Amino acid sequence: MKYTGKYWFVIAPFMKKPMAKRYGKKSAKEYIKKAKSVYRQMLNEADDIGAKNPMAHNMYMSFVFMAIWKAADGAITPDDMREMTRELLSMKIVQKAMGGLDVNRHKDMEKFRAKLDRCAKWAEDNPEYTEKTWDFNQGETPQGKGIAYYFTRCPLNDYARKFGYQEILPVMCELDFILAKLYHADLYRKHTLAEGGTVCDYLYLPDKDTANKS
């Protein structure tokens, strides 16, 4: 994959605080320093999924966390990383940068749907990456509400299995639930490729709808 420091320089600095709290400032600094070269290596090893692929941010973002985990050489457990990513994504400055939509509003739900449709269309319009990128398939929603789709192929899963990151991969998948909350949505999922399933399935419903059902 083409190198860009955009995601590294946005995410890595915010990881220092939760890491320092657990391992001390010295170790946190050391892990992040080592992780920077690991991040570059990961991008060099990963399949080219298209420089303009609108789904590429998933790889770039996940690789930052995975590189830090790898650089720590066993000091950071998957549970530790799970807690730290949650802390990072709970920071107001991060939520402000990544959020902005409220899918309880019809217009925002349609914006979210259009965003996913653009990702699917890019894959359709760039057949040279068909076997490398995510494949979007339409899913079923209850009473026509929300958004549902599924993948049978995920380049992040392919990379993790090829280069030995399976242990940390499920933590990356769990980020989907946290990110859904930033859009005021509840994510329902029964299967993931990371856990040995044949699909990664997604059902997004407005959180106000689901709150009324509980």
Side-chain angles (χ1 to χ4, degrees):
M1 289 177 64
K2 182 180 179 181
Y3 173 77
T4 173
K6 173 183 175 182
Y7 295 85
W8 175 263
F9 290 112
V10 168
I11 297 173
F14 289 105
M15 282 293 286
K16 288 183 180 179
K17 184 177 179 179
M19 290 176 67
K21 184 168 69 174
R22 290 167 174 80
Y23 315 109
K25 291 183 179 180
K26 182 178 179 181
S27 292
K29 184 177 180 180
E30 177 187 347
Y31 298 157
I32 289 178
K33 182 179 180 180
K34 289 181 179 179
K36 191 173 182 180
S37 60
V38 175
Y39 184 67
R40 280 184 173 272
Q41 179 183 343
M42 293 173 73
L43 292 175
N44 286 333
E45 293 171 339
D47 289 333
D48 177 17
I49 60 172
K52 296 183 178 181
N53 189 333
M55 288 287 287
H57 69 277
N58 289 283
M59 296 279 280
Y60 284 116
M61 181 176 71
S62 294
F63 274 12
V64 175
F65 299 119
M66 293 164 69
I68 292 172
W69 172 79
K70 185 73 171 180
D73 195 24
I76 300 177
T77 67
D79 284 340
D80 287 341
M81 182 58 75
R82 182 178 289 106
E83 292 179 8
M84 290 190 293
T85 54
R86 287 175 178 171
E87 287 181 29
L88 182 146
L89 291 174
S90 70
M91 295 178 185
K92 289 184 178 180
I93 189 172
V94 176
Q95 291 188 350
K96 185 176 180 180
M98 302 184 72
L101 293 180
D102 183 347
V103 298
N104 291 285
R105 297 193 292 255
H106 177 73
K107 65 176 183 179
D108 282 3
M109 175 64 84
E110 292 308 304
K111 286 181 181 179
F112 187 34
R113 192 189 310 277
K115 179 181 178 181
L116 295 172
D117 286 346
R118 285 194 295 272
C119 294
K121 190 175 188 307
W122 185 91
E124 182 180 328
D125 292 344
N126 294 271
E128 65 271 31
Y129 296 107
T130 297
E131 298 302 318
K132 300 296 183 182
T133 190
W134 292 262
D135 60 323
F136 279 82
N137 300 278
Q138 190 70 36
E140 295 184 3
T141 61
Q143 300 177 340
K145 291 186 177 182
I147 297 174
Y149 61 93
Y150 63 91
F151 301 126
T152 63
R153 181 177 57 254
C154 169
L156 186 57
N157 174 68
D158 293 341
Y159 176 86
R161 292 184 178 281
K162 184 176 180 179
F163 292 99
Y165 288 82
Q166 300 100 310
E167 186 179 0
I168 199 66
L169 181 59
V171 179
M172 301 300 99
C173 299
E174 290 174 21
L175 293 178
D176 292 330
F177 290 92
I178 303 172
L179 296 174
K181 289 296 183 184
L182 299 183
Y183 293 151
H184 300 275
D186 285 325
L187 170 61
Y188 296 87
R189 183 163 62 196
K190 296 180 179 179
H191 311 284
T192 63
L193 295 168
E195 295 177 333
T198 57
V199 300
C200 291
D201 55 341
Y202 295 75
L203 169 60
Y204 291 99
L205 294 174
D207 59 10
K208 286 184 179 179
D209 279 3
T210 52
N212 290 337
K213 292 177 181 177
S214 61

